[in-house]
Amino acid sequence: MVIQTGFNWLIEQQLLLSILFCGFILLERFGLKALGSRFVYKLAWLLPAALVIANLPNAIKPLQNSNISHYLITPNQPFTNEVGISWALMYALITAGLLIASFITHTRFVKSLQLTELTQFEGTLTADVKTYISQHVATPMVIGILNSKLVLPSNYNAQFDKATLALILEHENVHIKRKDNLTNALILLPTILLWFNPLAWACYASMRRLQELTCDERVLANKTTQQHILYSKALISCAENAPTGLMAYSHYGDKKTMLQRLTNIKHSGKHSKFAKGGLLLVAASMLSGLAIAKQPEAMTKEDHISPTMRIEPLYPKQAAQQGISGSVVLKYDITPNGETANVSVVSAKPEAIFDREAKKALRQWQYKPSSMGYQNVLVQLDFAINNEVANTDLIERIKVSH
């Protein structure tokens, strides 16, 4: 039941999430020159903020109080055994498989490095961070989710001169101080939960690229032209053999990422305050719109909700055998074309017994098309073994009899 409820909620959020993902990806691809990588990277917080605002608890959202006619449905219905694939269960199995694969990937990768600790290292690193060398890496990288470790190629002395190595260590220090590996793991988790949405993976890749770009900007701030050149050469030498896949560890990225980073270094400078201000204004408007999007609309005397088709929920077999009766209060929207949307359970008694069948049936209901549709419509479905159901005029009640 919990898996099914979570899966249904996740599916309902896909339109909003896809719009947010597309906007973030476009900003990362085309907005860096005007906005700067650090500004765009911080905009990633808008994604969870918008999701939270769009799903505020019902307790703090006003519910629509409209005059809705009462309907009574009392057919006897035989028990039916549903046989088929549970999409929610399939989703849970695939998600669990990906999470396990990610864990195994990280564990095997660390073991394959065959690390050797450097007891004497002249470079400057954040306190309490140990440095290791490995013959199995071609680029410097930081590993560890909670406890960061710096890993250098075994030939780092020959690969980098002292000036270049100092810039590289400064770059890795930024990753360590910001705890970017932990951030990456926290971002990778919801990405895996949304494995079926390709935009989620594209957004994750954009965030990883922005993470590296922001590090570059911090390292090269107030640096000389010569240091910019040295740093760019270091990036080119690290362009190959970077780890990919379900990796949360900070690394220098592939050749495409390298090209983007070099381009960003070349065009680094002052960014448009007007563009930043305008984008923040748009973001604020969007969040405000989400906050009030599901507020109830005032109904005129001419407005009325006209159902054209109602599918009666199936009475759960186990509840009927045990003689359990109950009620479910649902809140939903009616689209202009008469379909139901955003179906959610406001309250249920007893809990989690009739919710699934009630929502399943309500999603199939049809209403007469209207110009604006309706929001926050309430309906109470009473599952009753007998005909004794308390009367109320607070919300619409539909009786489902066994």
Side-chain angles (χ1 to χ4, degrees):
M1 184 65 67
V2 175
I3 294 176
Q4 182 69 49
T5 302
F7 177 71
N8 291 338
W9 178 85
L10 199 61
I11 295 301
E12 291 171 358
Q13 309 305 312
Q14 290 312 298
L15 178 59
L16 172 62
L17 288 174
S18 296
I19 293 173
L20 294 172
F21 290 154
C22 283
F24 187 81
I25 293 168
L26 290 174
L27 286 175
E28 186 266 333
R29 294 291 176 86
F30 306 107
L32 296 183
K33 188 174 181 180
L35 301 171
S37 58
R38 280 185 287 182
F39 182 81
V40 177
Y41 188 55
K42 291 177 181 179
L43 289 179
W45 286 104
L46 289 179
L47 275 68
L51 194 62
V52 170
I53 290 175
N55 291 274
L56 291 174
N58 290 321
I60 61 177
K61 282 188 177 181
L63 297 178
Q64 183 167 334
N65 185 16
S66 305
N67 294 322
I68 305 177
S69 301
H70 290 207
Y71 294 88
L72 185 66
I73 303 175
T74 58
N76 292 323
Q77 51 190 45
F79 292 128
T80 59
N81 294 322
E82 295 184 8
V83 180
I85 298 176
S86 171
W87 293 107
L89 179 60
M90 181 181 294
Y91 164 80
L93 292 175
I94 295 176
T95 302
L98 288 173
L99 290 172
I100 294 172
S102 177
F103 177 79
I104 293 175
T105 298
H106 283 77
T107 303
R108 287 182 175 178
F109 177 76
V110 173
K111 289 182 178 180
S112 69
L113 295 180
Q114 299 179 2
L115 301 175
T116 302
E117 185 176 357
L118 277 176
T119 56
Q120 294 181 348
F121 182 62
E122 298 179 357
T124 303
L125 281 178
T126 302
D128 300 327
V129 175
K130 295 182 179 180
T131 304
Y132 298 82
I133 59 172
S134 172
Q135 296 180 353
H136 302 281
V137 296
T139 64
M141 65 182 303
V142 177
I143 64 172
I145 302 299
L146 298 176
N147 298 317
S148 299
K149 301 175 183 178
L150 175 64
V151 181
L152 296 173
S154 56
N155 64 338
Y156 74 94
N157 281 324
Q159 188 175 354
F160 309 109
D161 56 44
K162 290 185 177 180
T164 303
L165 182 61
L167 291 172
I168 290 176
L169 292 179
E170 190 174 346
H171 175 96
E172 300 303 336
N173 272 329
V174 174
H175 282 307
I176 294 169
K177 290 178 180 178
R178 296 193 313 190
K179 298 187 180 300
D180 281 344
N181 283 353
L182 177 59
T183 300
N184 294 339
L186 295 176
I187 297 173
L188 182 60
L189 177 59
T191 303
I192 291 177
L193 295 178
L194 295 169
W195 56 263
F196 54 88
N197 189 338
L199 290 174
W201 294 101
C203 187
Y204 174 73
S206 292
M207 296 183 74
R208 292 298 302 272
R209 286 193 294 268
L210 283 169
Q211 188 178 88
E212 294 301 323
L213 293 175
T214 56
C215 276
D216 294 340
E217 285 191 4
R218 292 187 62 173
V219 171
L220 296 177
N222 302 319
K223 292 295 192 296
T224 65
T225 302
Q226 182 63 29
Q227 288 175 312
H228 278 69
I229 295 173
L230 287 176
Y231 190 78
S232 299
K233 288 181 178 180
L235 293 184
I236 295 173
S237 66
C238 296
E240 296 180 354
N241 302 320
T244 57
L246 299 176
M247 291 295 295
Y249 297 152
S250 299
H251 55 79
Y252 277 73
D254 54 19
K255 294 181 180 179
K256 184 178 179 181
T257 302
M258 288 296 177
L259 180 60
Q260 185 182 24
R261 293 173 69 179
L262 291 171
T263 302
N264 191 63
I265 292 172
K266 182 179 178 181
H267 294 97
S268 62
K270 295 183 178 180
H271 305 292
S272 173
K273 294 183 178 180
F274 177 79
K276 291 181 179 180
L279 187 59
L280 287 177
L281 182 61
V282 171
S285 300
M286 181 191 72
L287 294 178
S288 300
L290 286 174
I292 64 175
K294 294 186 178 181
Q295 300 294 331
E297 296 180 353
M299 295 181 62
T300 64
K301 293 182 178 180
E302 291 76 16
D303 289 334
H304 61 282
I305 299 176
S306 301
T308 59
M309 181 181 71
R310 291 179 184 266
I311 303 298
E312 181 179 357
L314 295 176
Y315 207 107
K317 182 177 180 180
Q318 188 175 5
Q321 290 175 340
Q322 297 177 4
I324 299 176
S325 297
S327 299
V328 180
V329 178
L330 300 171
K331 181 166 72 75
Y332 61 102
D333 298 336
I334 303 174
T335 63
N337 62 0
E339 297 179 352
T340 58
N342 302 318
V343 180
S344 62
V345 175
V346 176
S347 62
K349 188 177 181 180
E351 295 183 356
I353 299 296
F354 304 102
D355 300 19
R356 178 181 178 182
E357 295 298 338
K359 293 176 67 176
K360 181 179 179 181
L362 185 54
R363 289 193 179 98
Q364 303 177 66
W365 288 9
Q366 295 286 334
Y367 287 83
K368 181 180 178 181
S370 58
S371 58
M372 299 294 293
Y374 303 93
Q375 294 180 331
N376 295 338
V377 181
L378 290 175
V379 60
Q380 178 168 320
L381 280 73
D382 294 317
F383 291 75
I385 295 296
N386 51 46
N387 292 327
E388 296 180 2
V389 179
N391 294 322
T392 179
D393 292 326
L394 296 179
I395 53 177
E396 181 181 5
R397 299 172 66 87
I398 295 178
K399 181 180 177 183
V400 181
S401 300
H402 163 58

